[in-house]
Amino acid sequence: MALDSLKWWQKAVFYQIYPRSFADGNGDGIGDLHGIRQKLDYLQSLGVDALWLSPHYPSPQVDCGYDVADYTGVAPEYGDLDTFRSLLEEAHARGMRLILDLVLNHTSDQHPWFQESRSSLDNPKRGWYVWHKGRGGQPPNGWYSTFGGPAWELDPQTGEYYYHFFFKEQPDLNWHNPEVRAALWQAVRFWLDMGVDGFRLDAIGTIFEDPALPESTCPYTLDEMYRRSRLARSAEERLAVQKDWVELFRPQVDQPGMEDLLRELRRVVDEYDDRVLVGESDEIRYCREDMLHLVFNFPLMKTDRLTPAWVLENQRQRLGELPPTAWPCNTLGNHDVPRVYPHFDDGQHGPALARQSLALMLTLRGTPFLYNGEEIGMGDYFIQDPSQFRDPLSLRYYALEQSLLGHAPAEALRYAAENGRDRARTPLAWSHAPNGGFCPAEVTPWLPVNPEYARGVNVADQAADEGSLLNFYRRMLAFRRQHPALIAGDYQPAESGSPDVLAFVRQGEGERLLVAFNMGLEAVCVNLSALGEAAEGLFSTQSPRRPAALDRLDALGLAPLEVYIARV
């Protein structure tokens, strides 16, 4: 495709900001919109084009902001609507777009809508949520919440049960009700009228459930499934458990109606110029001209090691299944999964592997999404005291490890810390100062700061180091912008003859670029003469960098873990 025919979101590199942990602008230990505004110059210097803001709405913070209590407000600890407007205007003034999280499946149980809905059986908003009578003193059926326990909660005031796929404090909205749709579309228009550039849609696969309320055909309880998943050792056992997980929740996810709902939302968004919808889903069927603009390529990150075979097969499947008019979207991290650096670190070559991870995101076809802190190589931080957990899932794991598996508290704590979501949500370290410069030394941050900041994993130290990961991010992002083929060009895999070398060609805008990754730990010499006799080296992760000179393609040498980009 021609570069000038692409939309901004096809050319952009997105950067996800987790507001509570990004930058504390008022010194209370909680990240906020003031802090983000103060760091806009930093984000501009990094070279990203668009910001995705995780939930900033008023919330009791039961599920870290994904329990929304007001769709058109700002959490007081983050600022107010005037602060948000200033942030948006200043981001736009720097040439950066901004999209928001949109949580459609559920609200907080503190949302005024739910407070009205539960007030009486005949309240006008009763039908805004999923209410059902019990069955012989029991819930309407045996469905589970994915976060533990039954999916039904008895409301003593009215004697009926409401449905919640997530925590009981997150009641599901009834999307079969046209009044619910109208209310949410009004909230969408509120932000679009203000100038917001689009939305990332949270957990869209859970919006509808089977209205007939059929029982799951899975023969296991949720606790039994947890125990089986923890005890599975072989690939066959893990696959069997995975299939049973799907069966356990089959009546509750990916139900009919989703496509029509997305089309309706798309019509609302298309009332405005040049906005984007990104789905938290890897379902390609939602990526259509009349539905979502982008869906994440989550399968790419679901490995402990990026190999040529893994990447090539992923790209073969994804690009092969996308409709001709659809656009790819790639990521290796976000606020729900391990951080990129520790995820792919082999314990010895972390810096080189982190550089390969970024280079892969910026050279594959499609829109890349990065997560705050990746650029300085932040690691996961494992909390040592259960009272410091802010993710309720960690507390659930801590209890289940002891009650179902008989583990000692210390062992249960280790598992909960390593598998909960707090590990990747700790505050970003801005300097070598106490608390990593996130907040004043005398203030306790909302989550502990990873002590790695004292070892150089902070912005200030890396900004001053030409060879740092942060400055590599800046160079790599600038390089992508300078070479339109990496943005608009076609993708074609190239046969390298080595199982350790990933090679592909990006061609377009008058450029033909070879991108080669040696993902192995030994130097290799590969024959890529099918692409031509010689290549002009443009970029390499080797130090000193390969000069801009012609390299023979019939015997191209690649150092261990090198990323090499050349014009062919």
Side-chain angles (χ1 to χ4, degrees), residues 264-492:
E264 190 173 325
L265 174 57
R266 178 63 179 267
R267 288 194 293 272
V268 172
V269 172
D270 283 349
E271 296 170 10
Y272 300 79
D273 292 335
D274 222 12
R275 311 302 167 95
V276 68
L277 291 173
V278 187
E280 187 197 12
S281 172
D282 55 21
E283 288 288 346
I284 288 175
R285 70 178 186 271
Y286 297 149
C287 197
R288 295 290 188 275
E289 286 186 327
D290 60 349
M291 287 189 265
L292 300 179
H293 299 87
L294 298 170
V295 295
F296 288 109
N297 178 11
F298 287 136
L300 181 61
M301 71 167 69
K302 294 180 180 177
T303 179
D304 291 332
R305 183 184 170 212
L306 293 170
T307 66
W310 179 267
V311 176
L312 288 170
E313 178 60 17
N314 171 271
Q315 293 296 289
R316 185 191 67 78
Q317 290 187 11
R318 295 294 293 189
L319 298 180
E321 293 173 5
L322 279 173
T325 57
W327 190 255
C329 177
N330 300 301
T331 188
L332 290 175
N334 58 49
H335 62 296
D336 285 332
V337 298
R339 285 192 171 275
V340 170
Y341 192 104
H343 185 176
F344 299 110
D345 185 9
D346 64 357
Q348 292 182 294
H349 307 92
L353 291 167
R355 285 163 171 77
Q356 284 211 341
S357 297
L358 175 69
L360 186 65
M361 288 297 93
L362 299 187
T363 57
L364 287 177
R365 184 168 177 264
T367 299
F369 274 69
L370 311 177
Y371 177 50
N372 62 206
E374 283 182 21
E375 69 272 21
I376 57 171
M378 282 186 68
D380 292 335
Y381 179 63
F382 304 133
I383 288 174
Q384 306 296 311
D385 179 352
S387 70
Q388 294 182 323
F389 283 138
R390 296 295 175 263
D391 179 10
L393 282 182
S394 292
L395 293 172
R396 168 171 158 75
Y397 297 152
Y398 183 59
L400 290 177
E401 289 292 303
Q402 297 176 75
S403 63
L404 294 182
L405 298 173
H407 290 160
E411 188 175 358
L413 174 60
R414 179 191 59 79
Y415 180 83
E418 292 179 359
N419 291 276
R421 298 171 296 179
D422 289 333
R423 61 185 173 182
R425 299 176 176 182
T426 55
L428 198 150
W430 291 98
S431 71
H432 196 151
N435 286 327
F438 173 75
C439 62
E442 68 275 11
V443 173
T444 300
W446 82 281
L447 266 179
V449 176
N450 193 324
E452 66 187 0
Y453 75 83
R455 303 193 304 273
V457 185
N458 68 73
V459 170
D461 285 356
Q462 293 197 21
D465 177 5
E466 180 62 25
S468 69
L469 183 60
L470 173 60
N471 281 316
F472 175 79
Y473 264 65
R474 287 172 169 164
R475 286 194 297 273
M476 188 82 222
L477 282 158
F479 182 85
R480 180 181 188 268
R481 190 171 291 185
Q482 292 160 6
H483 292 277
L486 295 178
I487 301 171
D490 295 333
Y491 161 92
Q492 184 64 44

Side-chain angles (χ1 to χ4, degrees), residues 176-192:
H176 295 290
N177 187 329
E179 293 180 349
V180 169
R181 299 186 183 215
L184 265 297
W185 302 161
Q186 184 177 352
V188 165
R189 289 187 177 96
F190 174 86
W191 295 107
L192 294 176

Side-chain angles (χ1 to χ4, degrees), residues 178-244:
E179 293 180 349
V180 169
R181 299 186 183 215
L184 265 297
W185 302 161
Q186 184 177 352
V188 165
R189 289 187 177 96
F190 174 86
W191 295 107
L192 294 176
D193 286 339
M194 195 181 295
V196 163
D197 297 289
F199 300 93
R200 174 263 192 189
L201 308 183
D202 178 65
I204 59 176
T206 64
I207 285 176
F208 290 105
E209 54 284 332
D210 191 329
L213 307 185
E215 294 290 353
S216 169
T217 59
C218 179
Y220 301 98
T221 67
L222 188 63
D223 283 353
E224 289 169 342
M225 288 296 300
Y226 181 90
R227 191 171 189 278
R228 287 179 63 216
S229 69
R230 290 287 287 115
L231 297 178
R233 293 294 177 262
S234 68
E236 291 78 12
E237 288 176 331
R238 286 189 287 270
L239 181 60
V241 172
Q242 184 179 355
K243 289 181 177 178
D244 285 336

